[in-house]
Structure formats: structure tokens, C-alpha cells
Amino acid sequence: MTAAFVIAVAFMVMTPGPDSLAIADAAVRSRTDGVMIALGAVTGMLVFTVAACTGLGALLVAAPAALDALRIVGGLYLVFVGLTSLRSAVRAPADTEETAPGSPASQRILAPARRFGRDLLVDMTNPKTLVVFVTVVPAFAGPDADYPTLVGHCLFLVVFAAAWFLTVALLAARIGTLGPRSERWTAIVTGGVMCGFGIAILVLDPFVRG
């Protein structure tokens, strides 16, 4: 495993993307929610690891219609998640120090299983993640890499991402302790950027065709 691959992994993972934004959006309200979303993202990466190592991912990338379908579904889902976050932020009280049970803000704290499933879908429908595991990682592993080497490179990416996502969750949870205003503005920013990512995937298609 080369230093160039480690640097590339750090750049790809730590650059803000849909997963990091979804984790931050949830963690400012509930650290548990943020951690569950992080676990959902990591699980999605493990699925892509299996796809990359079995050749299923390469078949999907080689089929333009299938990749376009994944791109459209992923883009629409990101816009949906972003709009949901924006709607909740707008409806939530901005000047109260405590969130009353049953209020819009408290209702935004979802069951852990729903948080896990939501970001699993965010990750599984992101064409960028698929392309990274199917093309970028094998390129660093080398054209003659054996199976254990390819798996090792994929798992390194997953472990690095897990550590980074958990760090984002913990940092965002600290921001959440600053009060409802910080939660609201974090939700507005992350929701807006997620909508932007979704629209970019739908319209500009930056991750698939370059």
C-alpha cells in the first residue's frame, strides 16, 4: 500500500460529501443519530467492497443505463434528504433554549434504525462511491493485484472512512451543545449543500462522466 494511496484516501474521505453532511446534520441534534448514520455509511461502503471484489460493481459501471439509473435515484434521494432537513430547520423554533417533547425539533430525532437506513441509502445510491471502489481503488492496487491485496485496499478505505465519520459525528455533537440556533443553522447549511449535491449529480453528472 503506497503513500499516494493513503493520501488519495484521505482526500476522498475528508472532502465534504453527502455522507459527512448527513452525519453532521443528525449529530448536532443527537450524537447517537450521528453515529448511526456513520455506521450506515460504512455499511454501504462494505457492500461496495463486496461488489468491487466480486466484479459486480464493474458490470454496473460498464452498463450506462444501470449507472444512469443509480445516478438519478441517488440525486433525487439527496435532494429529498436535503429538503427534509431544510423543512425541519425552518419549522423548528430558533430562539428557545430547550426543545419540548412533540415539537418539530424533537421530532427530527429519528429512531436509530431509520437513521442507519437513511444513510445506507445515501451511500448505496451515490455513483461517486461506486466509481471509487470499482475504478480508483483497483488502480492503486495495481492491474496485477491479487484478491487479498484488492480487499486490503478496499478495507483500508472503509476503516479510514469509519474513523473520519465518527470524528465528524463527535465534533458536530459538540456544536449541538451550543443551543438550538446552532442546530438550526447547521441543518440549513447541510440541507442546502445536500440539495446542491443532488442537483449536481442529476444535471451535471460530475462523478460518472467527468
Side-chain angles (χ1 to χ4, degrees):
M1 191 174 298
T2 64
F5 177 68
V6 175
I7 294 172
V9 166
F11 176 79
M12 289 185 292
V13 171
M14 298 176 71
T15 300
D19 289 320
S20 298
L21 292 170
I23 292 166
D25 178 56
V28 292
R29 295 183 297 276
S30 167
R31 183 171 61 182
T32 300
D33 277 2
V35 170
M36 291 306 298
I37 281 197
L39 292 176
V42 171
T43 301
M45 289 186 169
L46 287 173
V47 173
F48 280 129
T49 296
V50 174
C53 294
T54 59
L56 295 176
L59 290 176
L60 181 58
V61 170
L67 196 57
D68 276 340
L70 180 66
R71 176 179 61 84
I72 292 171
V73 171
L76 290 175
Y77 189 67
L78 278 179
V79 172
F80 169 75
V81 172
L83 290 177
T84 300
S85 180
L86 288 173
R87 184 185 64 180
S88 299
V90 170
R91 295 174 58 187
D95 54 358
T96 57
E97 294 299 323
E98 295 182 358
T99 302
S103 67
S106 68
Q107 291 171 1
R108 290 160 64 202
I109 301 178
L110 302 179
R114 290 185 62 189
R115 285 291 185 191
F116 176 88
R118 194 183 83 167
D119 210 58
L120 176 61
L121 284 175
V122 168
D123 200 84
M124 290 292 297
T125 58
N126 187 352
K128 175 186 175 183
T129 307
L130 174 63
V131 170
V132 165
F133 275 90
V134 173
T135 63
V136 177
V137 174
F140 276 100
D144 299 323
D146 55 17
Y147 187 79
T149 300
L150 179 58
V151 172
H153 278 68
C154 289
L155 290 181
F156 176 81
L157 172 56
V158 173
V159 171
F160 191 99
W164 174 249
F165 291 158
L166 290 176
T167 300
V168 171
L170 295 177
L171 291 176
R174 293 290 295 175
I175 294 175
T177 63
L178 300 178
R181 288 183 183 272
S182 65
E183 295 182 22
R184 187 177 191 227
W185 282 107
T186 300
I188 290 174
V189 172
T190 55
V193 176
M194 276 193 284
C195 286
F197 270 115
I199 293 172
I201 291 174
L202 289 170
V203 178
L204 302 178
D205 196 3
F207 304 132
V208 179
R209 297 196 183 94

